[in-house]
Amino acid sequence: ETGKPFYAQFPSITVRDMVLVHQLLADHLGFERIGLLVGGSLGGQQALEWSVQEPERFDKLVVLATNAVHSPWGVAFNEAQRMAIAADPSWGDTQADAGLAGMKAARAIALLSYRHYGAYALSQPRPDDDRIWPEKPENYQQYQGEKLAKRFNAYSYWTLSKAMDAHDIGRHRGGILLALNRIKTRTLIISLDQDVLFPYDEQVVLAKSIQEAIHITCPTNYGHDGFLVETRAIGSIFGEFLKDDCEVSGIPFLKTLRTA
């Protein structure tokens, strides 16, 4: 009505709200049945929610590095990021760059959950000389904050993190096991090695509860970010899964990527 951005007045949304938008769009485009639904992380949460709501709509489902309910650990990480945004004196101003410095700090916090101890040791090692301050990890965190600030705003960041916190596939459905049992779609679940944000055990819950599910762990040095980085390995996994003659009971290629 006003033609102005909502900023702080934008309503809270949930993963289920996001799925409703996808449903409306699919209906508008005339997509009564969809061959493949794919989602990673927050996208995976949406893919699971949509598959629970409309189990007959999809032929195949692939979810990567995601979960049935967002964990207290994940919520705590998101809240730490929102605290960083709220500490920015400009947060709440009715302008697009409000809270931007706080969001840079939030992104640096988030990156610690996207990677892990070993990933930083490999990509941002301490120098072998006698300097006192290790600059590489410091510069990397600063760079990632600046990079996000060029294409995002703190209001969107805040809203999406709250939506993720609300994710619970079992809410008003008798719990996550009953909800996941609704999914009839042939499903591939991909875990990422050493993912501290969406750990292996969360993917095991999905695999045990979805009727026709294959669970694979993809080796990576990037933790959660591996679902964005390991394109060649994940692409190969997709290719094998999408073959018409692929058996749900096991895929020979995928067995080589399974971890104990």
Side-chain angles (χ1 to χ4, degrees):
E1 293 177 354
T2 66
K4 297 179 181 179
F6 280 91
Y7 294 126
Q9 300 304 314
F10 192 84
S12 297
I13 62 172
T14 68
V15 169
R16 294 186 186 185
D17 294 323
M18 295 176 177
V19 168
L20 176 58
V21 174
H22 290 311
Q23 290 171 327
L24 292 171
L25 177 60
D27 291 343
H28 173 73
L29 296 173
F31 296 156
E32 294 181 5
R33 190 165 182 84
I34 296 172
L36 175 65
L37 178 63
V38 181
S41 194
L42 175 58
Q45 293 176 341
Q46 294 174 66
L48 288 170
E49 175 64 38
W50 198 354
S51 297
V52 168
Q53 289 191 27
E54 298 187 294
E56 306 299 331
R57 189 163 201 167
F58 306 99
D59 294 329
K60 294 183 177 70
L61 168 66
V62 179
V63 292
L64 308 91
T66 194
N67 53 19
V69 56
H70 205 49
S71 67
W73 171 255
V75 174
F77 258 115
N78 285 343
E79 179 60 17
Q81 294 170 59
R82 290 190 293 265
M83 289 170 66
I85 293 172
D88 186 328
S90 69
W91 177 240
D93 292 350
T94 54
Q95 56 192 41
D97 61 353
L100 207 59
M103 191 186 72
K104 294 177 184 179
R107 183 63 167 182
I109 294 169
L111 208 65
L112 300 177
S113 69
Y114 301 157
R115 304 292 172 88
H116 58 82
Y117 181 96
Y120 273 84
L122 287 172
S123 64
Q124 312 298 322
R126 294 184 70 102
D128 293 330
D129 52 33
D130 294 327
R131 74 184 72 179
I132 297 175
W133 312 115
E135 296 178 356
K136 288 194 71 174
E138 295 176 357
N139 291 339
Y140 184 69
Q141 297 301 92
Q142 294 283 348
Y143 164 75
Q144 291 294 340
E146 294 288 345
K147 182 180 176 182
L148 185 73
K150 292 178 180 179
R151 61 182 179 87
F152 227 70
N153 67 70
Y155 289 108
S156 295
Y157 199 95
W158 185 290
T159 300
L160 289 174
S161 74
K162 291 292 288 186
M164 179 176 277
D165 289 355
H167 173 62
D168 182 354
I169 213 80
R171 188 169 55 248
H172 303 313
R173 293 175 178 145
I176 62 174
L177 298 183
L178 286 177
L180 291 171
N181 273 323
R182 295 187 186 185
I183 299 177
K184 312 300 181 186
T185 308
R186 189 162 165 228
T187 302
L188 171 63
I189 301 156
I190 301 177
S191 302
L192 279 301
D193 195 24
Q194 301 187 66
D195 184 345
V196 298
L197 188 57
F198 293 84
Y200 173 84
D201 289 349
E202 292 190 330
Q203 269 69 207
V204 170
V205 171
L206 300 178
K208 288 182 175 179
S209 305
I210 297 173
Q211 296 181 32
E212 291 192 82
I214 302 169
H215 177 207
I216 304 301
T217 297
C218 181
T220 179
N221 291 319
Y222 293 95
H224 182 63
D225 266 357
F227 90 97
L228 299 171
V229 177
E230 304 292 352
T231 53
R232 179 172 297 180
I234 291 173
S236 296
I237 295 173
F238 268 54
E240 292 296 319
F241 178 69
L242 294 177
K243 287 181 179 178
D244 292 337
D245 59 353
C246 174
E247 296 293 332
V248 173
S249 58
I251 306 173
F253 172 79
L254 297 181
K255 287 181 180 178
T256 66
L257 293 181
R258 195 185 303 274
T259 62

